[in-house]
Amino acid sequence: MTTVGFIGSGKIGSRVAQLAVAAGYDVVVSNSRGPETLAELTAELGPKARAATAVEAAQAGDIVVVSVPFKAYPELPVKELAGKVVLDTNNYYAQRDGDFPAIDSGETTSAELEQKYLAGSHLVKVFNNINFKHLAALPRPAGAADRSALTIAGDDASAKQTTTEFLDAIGYDTYDVGPLSESWRFEPNTPAYGIPYGGYADSDSTPAGVDAIKTAVDAAKR
């Protein structure tokens, strides 16, 4: 059975971990404060979960979910993530992360910068445009009429296939936006950012299938 490592176990990371455990995966969670601070989360997740350092989570995971502030990406363990499928949930917010002129100008995307840093890994951007409450509320069985789709972007076809299989296992369909250069289409201030699922700050969730997500992605303007 695949093990999913987590570097960052905040609102999104912990929800993905919950969905992964429910789907039968083993998970290894970590944060910047140390494994001892994750006792409550691991107790909630149950026997298929354990806490570790970020390096250990990277080593243990066949898939590794990175859910840290974008500005912290240079602190990711490059060596331990080499060869791994890395699920990037990050968003660039200048007010929090500082200014990145190459992103602001449209020259590159935050995901491309992170992939460049993690040159030996296979980065797929996902989970960045859905509220954590909606993420927990919207999983449905395969084939359900009200099953939602999540956006992905990546430069490696095999990594995107692995991600699609993981999303299917935790209750979601996939809409592939294309390479990392197109990931801006579902970042903050675009129609696909939160809105299809009920609004990013809205506590009520709304199922959004592939067609709805495609419409939102296609409406993005840079």
Side-chain angles (χ1 to χ4, degrees), residues 3-208:
T3 296
V4 185
F6 289 82
I7 299 178
S9 299
K11 291 178 178 179
I12 289 292
S14 62
R15 292 316 185 280
V16 178
Q18 289 167 348
L19 295 176
V21 165
Y25 292 93
D26 293 321
V27 303
V28 181
V29 296
S30 71
N31 63 15
S32 61
R33 295 176 293 133
E36 66 280 359
T37 66
L38 291 166
E40 184 176 343
L41 176 60
T42 53
E44 179 184 341
L45 293 172
K48 295 187 75 64
R50 65 181 177 90
T53 66
V55 166
E56 290 167 340
Q59 290 173 326
D62 301 295
I63 299 171
V64 182
V65 178
V66 171
S67 193
V68 299
F70 171 67
K71 64 182 178 182
Y73 82 83
E75 300 170 20
L76 294 172
V78 176
K79 178 182 176 182
E80 288 77 15
L81 289 173
K84 304 291 179 79
V85 174
V86 174
L87 306 187
D88 168 36
T89 80
N90 301 338
N91 284 308
Y92 162 56
Y93 302 101
Q95 67 271 28
R96 178 196 65 189
D97 300 314
D99 292 326
F100 285 74
I103 299 177
D104 296 332
S105 69
E107 176 186 340
T108 191
T109 65
S110 61
E112 286 179 293
L113 286 180
E114 193 167 325
Q115 176 66 90
K116 184 176 181 180
Y117 178 72
L118 298 174
S121 304
H122 310 294
L123 192 103
V124 179
K125 192 173 186 75
V126 63
F127 300 123
N128 68 294
N129 67 322
I130 185 169
N131 179 286
F132 70 99
K133 293 178 182 178
H134 300 165
L135 180 63
L138 288 173
R140 301 288 190 274
D146 62 344
R147 200 182 210 211
S148 294
L150 294 176
T151 47
I152 67 169
D155 295 338
D156 184 276
S158 178
K160 289 199 285 188
Q161 180 60 36
T162 296
T163 304
T164 297
E165 292 169 358
F166 176 64
L167 293 183
D168 182 55
I170 66 172
Y172 284 93
D173 288 335
T174 297
Y175 181 66
D176 185 352
V177 176
L180 293 175
S181 60
E182 293 295 299
S183 61
W184 63 271
R185 292 183 178 276
F186 54 100
E187 290 184 335
N189 302 315
T190 66
Y193 182 76
I195 297 170
Y197 308 107
Y200 206 80
D202 193 343
S203 60
D204 294 326
S205 58
T206 303

